[in-house]
Amino acid sequence: MEASSSAAAVAAAPAFASNPARARAGTFGSVVGSFFRQLLTLTWRELTAYFFSPMAYVILTPLLLFTGYIFFISFREASQQAGALEMRHFISLFNFLGMFVAPLLTMRLLAEEKKSGTFEMLVTAPVSDVGIVLSKYIASVLLWIFFLLPGAVYVWILKKFGANPEYGSILCNYVGLILLVGVFLAEGILFSAFTGNQIVAGISSFIALFLLYLVGYVKPNSNWAGVDWNEVFKFMSLFNHYQNFEKGVYDTRDIVYFASLIVFFLFLAVKVVESRRWR
Amino acid sequence: MIAVEHLVKRFAGVTAVNDISFTVEKGEILGFLGPNGAGKTTTMRVLACFFPPSSGRVSVGGLDVIHHSMDVRRIVGYMPESVPLYPDMRVDEYLRYRARLKGVTWKDQKRRIDEVLSRCDLHDVRRRIVGQLSKGFRQRVGLAESMVNDPALLILDEPTIGLDPNQIRHVRDVVKDLGHDHTVILSTHILPEVEMTCSRVVVIHRGRIAAADSMENFRRGAMAGGRIRAEIRGPAGAVREALAALPDVSAVRAEPNGDYQSYVIEYKGGQDLREPVFAAAARNQWGLRELRFEKKTLEDVFVSITAREE
């Protein structure tokens, strides 16, 4: 059976020699090359979609107004008390806001495609399911980084008014912030893959994030099975893994924790997208 | 070009397609006929690699849809029934995006997009936003999209649904034109459409193939015959007897209509029975005030096909 099908493929190949896409497929290098070309095309489409729809502006505007106001207040307070305004407190504000922003950014991504039927167009194009999920994820992360860029203004203001910002530490805070919200976004894409309803996707992904946040406050004070369960719950909480970044410390454990969660959620999202094949 | 062997597709508890086999040669235009829910879309989705068959073998251009899914998708252009498009993009932006996704090289993109724009008569709206286009234009954008990488096989699910007569004619011409150098599968539940465009017909009914033949044979077989309506004034029993005696007549129904009787004469076979009816009326000196031939509708074809099977 196997041999006969590949023989048929060989026999059919000359018929499509005129088709450039078919002729190019084949070598490992060209397969990888076309994967990244497609990833770029898909990611660009997702990014532009954020700005074609009012989504990006609707989220960015209140986010900037709110954080700008907080910065202004804390800056004034710090200057009155002759203390130094610490950028890290300001940045850690974003990881809480990310919990609200991430579901808004991701809820649309797959749910809308499913609802409008463009999902069918997407998966019948010669694109891998991994490419589809990955491009949406990359686009949402890039948009989040874009949201953070105006923060550079605050660093500049601090410098201008005589504070001495520690650039290395600030960068570490931002790396942590991007990783943390990177997990939120991956989780949001998973929930968006489950349903054809954006609102359901958004709310359920927010609830799941909130549970991951609450888990850090669970203290059963139990030593059952010789394990300190307080530590276990502390380890599970996303926000506790952010604390080292806040201090300006890159800890491999935290980076591995965030990265593995991102891979885990994206892997599940790919499986959900694939599920149409075996359902 | 296409070989479908014992295709079965089951969804949780429902068998949408049950043991279908057919082949399509290169350059043919195949019409998929069937009532709603017959399994047309499911079969097309399997061919377009949206989901794999539950069992059976399906290959496009000699490539298996499971083992060489990516290669099959490269040579297939698929337009779903709802013609899903991104409403926020401009027509040419959308076509360029899809061309890139389908692996059209940078060098060829402009040429390919220009070609499909003119084929589908879209040059005037190329800078318009898709979401603001009328249904007819959106349908054409979908058609242009499916052709953008010059696929060897085009799968069009109900390409003329919801269009006005002019637009239907235009889509039909585009499809006919494509048939010269492409293989096309289109589904429809409008019989004349198949008659005008297709070279082969597959009738699907409840997930099974009820009939599969070339258009000529189909025309001679399942579509042959028809129905004649006649209003005749004369002794009801004698008229009915005379009409039933005409060749190939399968049923005669009568309904009183004032002085006259309205007769519906169903018959099989290729010849036109209007003249024999007239002759019978003239011979017996019955009054005849209406004589009308009605072509078989899709419903009649279905009834005759499914009745023959059972």
Side-chain angles (χ1 to χ4, degrees):
Chain A
M1 200 64 189
E2 201 53 51
S4 75
S5 85
S6 64
V10 169
F16 306 111
S18 58
N19 187 324
R22 175 86 190 96
R24 221 184 40 237
T27 67
F28 178 74
S30 70
V31 169
V32 172
S34 86
F35 176 79
F36 281 105
R37 245 196 317 276
Q38 284 178 337
L39 197 62
L40 195 70
T41 306
L42 286 166
T43 308
W44 182 247
R45 143 80 202 150
E46 292 304 330
L47 266 182
T48 49
Y50 276 123
F51 290 95
F52 282 162
S53 71
M55 206 62 181
Y57 313 102
V58 166
I59 300 171
L60 187 55
T61 310
L63 188 73
L64 288 183
L65 283 175
F66 181 68
T67 53
Y69 180 67
I70 297 285
F71 181 82
F72 170 71
I73 291 179
S74 28
F75 186 74
R76 195 179 53 187
E77 224 160 76
S79 60
Q80 278 165 357
Q81 294 165 2
L85 169 62
E86 293 210 54
M87 197 59 193
R88 64 190 171 103
H89 293 318
F90 175 70
I91 296 172
S92 69
L93 183 67
F94 277 90
N95 68 34
F96 194 71
L97 292 175
M99 224 163 68
F100 298 91
V101 172
L104 289 174
L105 291 184
T106 53
M107 65 184 193
R108 210 196 85 246
L109 291 173
L110 282 155
E112 193 183 43
E113 303 254 16
K114 283 191 172 178
K115 182 150 208 169
S116 71
T118 47
F119 181 73
E120 198 172 342
M121 299 299 289
L122 206 52
V123 298
T124 51
V127 187
S128 66
D129 294 346
V130 174
I132 292 169
V133 170
L134 204 56
S135 65
K136 289 180 182 295
Y137 180 65
I138 293 171
S140 67
V141 170
L142 287 178
L143 191 71
W144 174 244
I145 293 173
F146 176 78
F147 282 3
L148 294 179
L149 286 180
V153 174
Y154 301 130
V155 181
W156 178 77
I157 291 173
L158 285 182
K159 176 110 178 99
K160 186 89 178 160
F161 286 87
N164 200 8
E166 292 173 50
Y167 296 114
S169 161
I170 290 173
L171 185 69
C172 181
N173 273 261
Y174 272 116
V175 168
L177 184 57
I178 290 166
L179 278 171
L180 178 72
V181 176
V183 176
F184 296 174
L185 293 169
E187 183 256 17
I189 284 177
L190 174 62
F191 278 90
S192 186
F194 278 135
T195 164
N197 186 325
Q198 292 188 42
I199 307 299
V200 170
I203 290 175
S204 53
S205 90
F206 173 74
I207 290 171
L209 284 182
F210 198 66
L211 290 177
L212 279 173
Y213 171 75
L214 286 184
V215 121
Y217 292 98
V218 175
K219 290 203 169 61
N221 288 326
S222 145
N223 247 342
W224 186 73
V227 177
D228 183 354
W229 288 94
N230 288 3
E231 278 299 309
V232 171
F233 280 106
K234 204 178 135 199
F235 184 83
M236 289 203 308
S237 169
L238 278 164
F239 292 88
N240 286 332
H241 286 269
Y242 176 75
Q243 279 167 1
N244 277 329
F245 288 103
E246 200 171 359
K247 292 175 200 144
V249 179
Y250 295 98
D251 189 326
T252 327
R253 280 174 301 180
D254 300 328
I255 295 176
V256 168
Y257 172 85
F258 284 140
S260 51
L261 271 183
I262 290 170
V263 171
F264 174 68
F265 284 132
L266 291 182
F267 172 78
L268 287 184
V270 171
K271 289 293 146 195
V272 173
V273 169
E274 270 175 12
S275 71
R276 73 179 186 282
R277 299 193 194 281
W278 40 260
R279 257 204 305 228
Chain B
M1 186 71 212
I2 300 173
V4 176
E5 293 163 27
H6 303 293
L7 164 64
V8 176
K9 181 68 192 177
R10 278 183 219 100
F11 298 102
V14 189
T15 306
V17 173
N18 193 0
D19 196 14
I20 278 184
S21 302
F22 65 92
T23 57
V24 184
E25 298 303 319
K26 193 173 187 302
E28 279 188 318
I29 301 181
L30 176 79
F32 248 172
L33 269 172
N36 295 327
K40 291 173 295 188
T41 299
T42 306
T43 310
M44 290 181 143
R45 281 179 161 179
V46 170
L47 283 168
C49 301
F50 180 69
F51 40 47
S54 301
S55 73
R57 235 176 76 85
V58 178
S59 66
V60 177
L63 300 160
D64 189 275
V65 292
I66 300 176
H67 300 295
H68 300 95
S69 171
M70 278 294 173
D71 295 330
V72 171
R73 284 187 244 169
R74 280 194 191 93
I75 59 168
V76 170
Y78 171 49
M79 183 171 94
E81 184 181 346
S82 56
V83 199
L85 305 165
Y86 293 115
D88 51 2
M89 289 176 116
R90 293 181 194 281
V91 172
D92 55 351
E93 275 169 359
Y94 177 68
L95 291 175
R96 203 174 311 122
Y97 161 71
R98 293 294 297 185
R100 279 181 200 160
L101 218 53
K102 289 175 165 186
V104 178
T105 55
W106 284 95
K107 195 163 78 265
D108 293 338
Q109 268 172 34
K110 200 183 156 351
R111 189 179 53 81
R112 285 300 313 157
I113 289 167
D114 273 342
E115 194 193 321
V116 294
L117 283 174
S118 43
R119 255 205 164 146
C120 299
D121 204 7
L122 284 167
H123 268 294
D124 294 342
V125 296
R126 62 185 302 165
R127 293 300 294 161
R128 293 270 298 278
I129 289 169
V130 169
Q132 295 171 356
L133 292 176
S134 68
K135 168 85 180 149
F137 273 117
R138 277 212 295 273
Q139 199 92 10
R140 278 193 251 168
V141 173
L143 195 59
E145 188 282 325
S146 65
M147 303 190 291
V148 78
N149 61 332
D150 201 12
L153 169 67
L154 264 169
I155 300 174
L156 309 173
D157 198 353
E158 303 269 3
T160 56
I161 204 166
L163 297 183
D164 70 40
N166 274 331
Q167 293 165 331
I168 290 178
R169 188 157 359 109
H170 184 263
V171 169
R172 212 176 269 158
D173 290 342
V174 172
V175 170
K176 261 188 179 166
D177 192 35
L178 281 170
H180 297 309
D181 43 359
H182 298 74
T183 309
V184 183
I185 293 188
L186 62 89
S187 77
T188 179
H189 53 251
I190 306 166
L191 192 61
E193 190 163 302
V194 176
E195 214 183 338
M196 268 179 260
T197 43
C198 299
S199 55
R200 262 162 57 79
V201 187
V202 168
V203 180
I204 301 188
H205 184 64
R206 289 192 203 140
R208 288 176 182 279
I209 290 191
D213 222 329
S214 70
M215 194 63 233
E216 292 113 72
N217 288 343
F218 192 67
R219 214 175 262 139
R220 268 202 297 272
M223 272 173 66
R227 180 187 293 142
I228 285 178
R229 281 181 192 280
E231 289 192 8
I232 296 172
R233 190 180 55 199
V239 174
R240 181 192 280 268
E241 224 165 83
L243 292 177
L246 293 172
D248 290 328
V249 170
S250 53
V252 177
R253 288 193 304 272
E255 229 176 69
N257 187 358
D259 285 350
Y260 284 78
Q261 298 265 341
S262 293
Y263 292 94
V264 178
I265 308 149
E266 312 254 7
Y267 70 100
K268 296 182 180 122
Q271 79 283 43
D272 193 334
L273 277 191
R274 275 174 292 188
E275 266 190 57
V277 171
F278 170 74
R283 202 167 48 238
N284 296 303
Q285 307 248 313
W286 297 327
L288 176 68
R289 71 171 184 192
E290 188 185 356
L291 189 54
R292 183 152 50 101
F293 172 70
E294 280 177 359
K295 248 185 154 176
K296 270 196 176 177
T297 62
L298 186 60
E299 206 185 320
D300 301 325
V301 174
F302 275 127
V303 169
S304 67
I305 286 173
T306 46
R308 198 170 52 200
E309 275 206 331
E310 279 151 14

